[in-house]
């Protein structure tokens, strides 16, 4: 094995010391960043009940919905009732209805998007419509507050 000459050895030692110093400084930086972050953070168990209540909000979309409701065949239909009716549909039927009525996609476009035949889209849409109709007829009086 060939022995490195003295200058090469000194260069290696200097580079080795430099690398160790860089790693040590980076470890110090990470430690300081973590310490600063922990000083700003608080665990959920340390929160007061008032602070806990500030972490979430309740959707009050349906408050005062009397002006938003409409009458159909003597039944009062509210947005809350309609949303509940949509929730009763299976996921694949709900998606089909939303794409058709709210995004104005055709049965062919929905079929391509969902990778299903057009006839399946039409069946899901029409059967969903019947199911929504039955739900609204049965539950309109219960939601009329």
């Amino acid at each position: 094995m060939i022995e490195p000459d003295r200058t090469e050895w000194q260069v290696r030692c200097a580079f080795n010391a430099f690398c160790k110093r860089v790693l040590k400084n980076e470890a110090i930086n990470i430690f300081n960043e973590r310490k600063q972050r922990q000083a700003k953070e608080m665990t959920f168990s340390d929160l007061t009940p008032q602070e806990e209540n500030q972490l979430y909000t309740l959707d009050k979309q349906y408050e005062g919905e009397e002006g938003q409701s409409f009458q159909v065949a003597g039944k009062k239909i509210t947005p809350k009732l309609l949303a509940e009716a949509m929730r009763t549909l299976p996921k694949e039927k709900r998606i089909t209805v939303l794409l058709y009525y709210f995004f104005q996609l055709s049965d062919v476009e929905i079929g391509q998007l969902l990778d299903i035949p057009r006839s399946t889209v039409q069946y899901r849409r029409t059967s969903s419509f019947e199911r929504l109709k039955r739900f609204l007829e049965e539950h309109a009086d219960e939601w009329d507050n």
Side-chain angles (χ1 to χ4, degrees):
M1 183 161 161
I2 302 173
E3 294 280 328
D5 63 355
R6 185 91 175 133
T7 8
E8 188 179 332
W9 180 255
Q10 288 175 336
V11 170
R12 283 186 181 183
C13 288
F15 183 71
N16 187 19
F18 172 76
C19 289
K20 288 179 181 177
R21 188 70 200 158
V22 167
L23 288 174
K24 183 177 179 182
N25 287 338
E26 191 59 31
I28 290 169
N29 288 343
I30 290 171
F31 176 78
N32 288 337
E33 287 174 10
R34 195 175 284 164
K35 192 175 178 183
Q36 287 176 351
R37 192 174 340 118
Q38 286 175 346
K40 295 177 185 176
E41 291 177 350
M42 179 182 286
T43 61
F44 286 119
S45 60
D46 294 338
L47 294 175
T48 65
Q50 292 82 14
E51 292 171 328
E52 284 180 28
N53 290 336
Q54 293 175 353
L55 295 177
Y56 66 92
T57 61
L58 297 175
D59 186 8
K60 298 183 180 188
Q61 174 183 359
Y62 299 116
E63 284 186 3
E65 65 186 20
E66 289 78 24
Q68 299 174 5
S69 65
F70 53 93
Q71 294 275 1
V72 177
K75 303 277 187 180
K76 184 178 178 183
I77 308 297
T78 62
K80 192 173 185 178
L81 174 63
L82 193 53
E84 190 60 34
M86 287 294 291
R87 276 191 215 100
T88 63
L89 293 175
K91 183 180 178 183
E92 63 275 353
K93 288 186 177 188
R94 185 173 42 238
I95 290 170
T96 304
V97 169
L98 291 172
L99 289 173
Y100 186 83
Y101 289 105
F102 296 102
F103 291 96
Q104 287 87 31
L105 295 180
S106 68
D107 289 349
V108 173
E109 292 170 325
I110 296 170
Q112 290 171 346
L113 185 68
L114 300 177
D115 198 27
I116 56 175
R118 183 209 52 82
S119 58
T120 303
V121 174
Q122 181 182 1
Y123 170 76
R124 285 181 183 176
R125 185 175 44 81
T126 54
S127 64
S128 298
F129 189 68
E130 288 299 317
R131 193 168 176 173
L132 289 172
K133 179 182 171 188
R134 277 194 312 271
F135 183 90
L136 293 174
E137 287 173 346
E138 292 171 7
H139 295 89
D141 296 329
E142 297 171 15
W143 291 77
D144 190 16
N145 296 329

